[in-house]
Every structure is written in structure tokens, then in C-alpha cells.
Amino acid sequence: MEPTLTPVRGLWRFLEKDPRESDLGRRRFHLRPGHARDVLESAERAYVFGFNAAISREIAKIGEIPLERRPFAYEGAGAASAALDLITLTRGRRLHELLAGPAKFYEHAVHLGVGRAYALLRLRPMRGLRHTHPLLRWLAVDGFGFQQGLTRTDRMVGEHAMPDLVTRTHCAIFDQGLGRLLWYHDCASPDQVAARVSSFPTGRRADLWSGVGFAATYTGGADADALAALTSHAGADGFRSHLVQGCAFATSAWLATGALPAHVTEAVAVLTDATPDEAVAWTDTALIALGHDPHTHEDFLDWAAHTRHTWSRRHR
């Protein structure tokens, strides 16, 4: 159970989220009873709690929930902070305070939340992030893709629609977020997730697999046998390295928090045939390869590409 939050008063009550939004069954996802659904809905409950904690100015209460759920709560706090900044035109003040304070070890989560805020407000996440982390800020486009898939599932998942984004690079990052959403949409079922990815055009599947790898590691919900099946599906589709890269990025995000849940360690072992420290080292090596001051969206995708290359060389 989450700590109790003070009811929101005044103007911002219209932003407060209903806890029932975390019930994925209301979204007509392909759910099944059991551990996977519990894990996925627990992550969304934490997101809603973090969102409402930021709206009620009680972000400190996020520190009272279990460690394995805090990244999702800070994702919610990031979404709420960004939404308030956008509505009040405060040039990112709340977001910067969050990143400099309680969420300083949860930068990945907060930036994903920022993208969800843009989607909720029906804005494109192309502006207003210039003063956050030079590379992680592009995770906002990933978060935007996740939220668009969550709230516009028929269009984004069923019809394979793509929003009007600026460049192909933005579309690639968007698809990583949509790939994360597919892990939720098909309830961590390796067969169903793989079938869903294969229904998309070939040119989009690599980035979708990257998002699947991130979610399978970051959120969890699958046991070792299911993860092995997922690995086989990605390999058969020709995108094993993208699955690995998403896993490595998720592991890096978790390690930055100072915690490494058992489901992350298991996912890394199955998806990458490596240890968490090795997976994070691939991302660090890839970051160094970018040289001085990487900050563009192309740099972000190059970071991912170098990570895949490092793993591929290890597995020749």
C-alpha cells in the first residue's frame, strides 16, 4: 500500500489522477491473470502515485514506497512536474528542482515521465528540455511514444500509426517507447509480444525490439523461460542486438538508483548472456565513443548503436 496523500485542493485538482487508471484491464489490453499482470499494474500504480504526490507537493512520500517501485513513481512525478511547468510557463522550474533534489538518481525515469506529460497535454516533446541532461532528455520522446500507445492504442498499436514528428530519428526514439508499451499491452507474453512486433513494418521493428528489451528488464514480469523465448523470437526476427541494447540501457538506469532488483539480474543473464556490470560497461563504452559533448537526438541513437556494436563484437 502506498502512503496516504493529502487531497489536492484548488486549481490543480483537475490534474489529479484516478488510481483506477493503473487498471490495464480498462484499456482492453491482452491481459492474463498472474504474476505478469501484477507486476505491470504495480508499476502503473506507482506512476499514478508519483504523479499525484507531485501535484499535492508531497514528493518526499515517494521515499516511503518499496525500492523496486520508486523509479515508476519518479516517472509519475516527472510527468506531473513537467505538466505543471508547461501549463504555468515556468521554464522547467519544478522539473529542475525534482532532478536536483529527490530524483537525482532517477534521471532516466523522470525524463520518460516528461514525455508522458507532453502526450497528456497533446504537445510534441521537441521544446522545453534544453536545460536538462544533454542525452537523457531525448528519453522524453520515448516516454511520449509509451503514453501515445497507452491512450491511443487502437491507432498506435492496432493501425501502426505514427504521429507527426520532426525527423526519422525522433520516430525511432518514439518507437522505442511504443515497444515498451507493447510489453504491457501483451502482458509480458513473449509469443504475443513477438507477434505484435512482427505485425509492424520491417523498418520499425528494430526500435520496437529495443523498447521491448528495456521493458522486459526495467519493469519485469517474465520468468527465465519466457525471457529465453523472447530472446529466440528477437534473434529469429534479426534484432537480438536491439533487444540486448534495450536491456543494457534499462540495467544502467536501475544501477544509477543504487538498487538492482533480482528481476533485472535475471533478465540481463538471459537476454545478454552477461552480468549487469558488463551490460552497463557496454553503455559506458558507447558513451565514451561519442566523444565530447554528445547532445543531439542523432547522438542518442548513436549511443544505442555503439552499445549494440560492443555486444555484437563480444558474441562473434
Side-chain angles (χ1 to χ4, degrees):
M1 296 292 292
E2 291 91 358
T4 302
L5 296 172
T6 302
V8 179
R9 301 180 183 277
L11 181 63
W12 302 126
R13 282 183 299 174
F14 77 94
L15 278 178
E16 190 174 20
K17 287 192 168 293
D18 185 337
R20 290 177 295 179
E21 289 187 32
S22 62
D23 180 1
L24 299 179
R26 301 177 70 198
R27 301 185 183 277
R28 296 183 293 113
F29 282 13
H30 294 176
L31 300 174
R32 50 203 171 101
H35 175 69
R37 180 172 182 173
D38 291 344
V39 168
L40 299 173
E41 290 189 332
S42 176
E44 277 299 287
R45 280 196 300 274
Y47 168 83
V48 170
F49 174 81
F51 191 101
N52 289 338
I55 296 295
S56 64
R57 299 182 182 180
E58 296 179 293
I59 292 176
K61 289 190 176 180
I62 292 176
E64 299 177 23
I65 68 175
L67 278 169
E68 64 270 16
R69 298 177 63 195
R70 285 182 203 170
F72 307 101
Y74 280 118
E75 184 179 334
S81 298
L84 289 170
D85 284 336
L86 289 164
I87 292 169
T88 60
L89 303 177
T90 49
R91 301 176 64 86
R93 177 179 59 81
R94 293 176 182 84
L95 182 61
H96 296 150
E97 289 175 355
L98 178 65
L99 286 166
K104 62 183 176 181
F105 299 121
Y106 295 86
E107 287 186 293
H108 289 76
V110 170
H111 285 87
L112 291 171
V114 170
R116 295 184 71 165
Y118 274 83
L120 289 169
L121 297 177
R122 299 187 179 184
L123 298 171
R124 294 188 303 178
M126 305 304 169
R127 301 182 183 277
L129 296 175
R130 296 173 184 170
H131 304 296
T132 57
H133 191 285
L135 272 187
L136 295 185
R137 64 191 177 121
W138 296 109
L139 287 172
V141 184
D142 182 308
F144 180 78
F146 181 94
Q147 186 65 37
Q148 286 279 71
L150 188 68
T151 57
R152 304 182 65 194
T153 309
D154 289 343
R155 286 273 294 148
M156 298 298 152
V157 178
E159 300 175 18
H160 304 162
M162 173 65 75
D164 182 21
L165 298 176
V166 177
T167 69
R168 168 59 193 142
T169 306
H170 289 104
C171 293
I173 303 173
F174 173 93
D175 273 344
Q176 291 178 27
L178 187 61
R180 288 194 300 117
L181 185 277
L182 296 182
W183 186 249
Y184 287 67
H185 183 273
D186 289 294
C187 204
S189 166
D191 296 340
Q192 291 183 17
V193 170
R196 187 75 55 187
V197 173
S198 69
S199 73
F200 281 77
T202 303
R204 297 182 64 181
R205 297 211 296 264
D207 299 307
L208 293 171
W209 274 116
S210 175
V212 169
F214 191 102
T217 307
Y218 190 74
T219 309
D223 60 20
D225 289 341
L227 291 168
L230 188 71
T231 302
S232 296
H233 285 305
D237 204 17
F239 299 112
R240 169 84 188 274
S241 66
H242 288 79
L243 185 78
V244 167
Q245 173 256 307
C247 173
F249 273 32
T251 307
S252 180
W254 264 110
L255 206 58
T257 71
L260 202 66
H263 77 264
V264 177
T265 302
E266 181 176 58
V268 175
V270 177
L271 299 183
T272 74
D273 296 323
T275 67
D277 286 341
E278 287 175 304
V280 172
W282 303 334
T283 70
D284 292 343
T285 300
L287 186 59
I288 292 170
L290 295 179
H292 177 67
D293 191 31
H295 62 278
T296 68
H297 47 281
E298 289 90 352
D299 288 330
F300 182 87
L301 287 189
D302 285 344
W303 185 19
H306 282 301
T307 300
R308 292 192 296 272
H309 181 65
T310 301
W311 176 81
S312 297
R313 283 189 304 174
R314 181 182 183 272
H315 284 75
R316 282 176 182 170

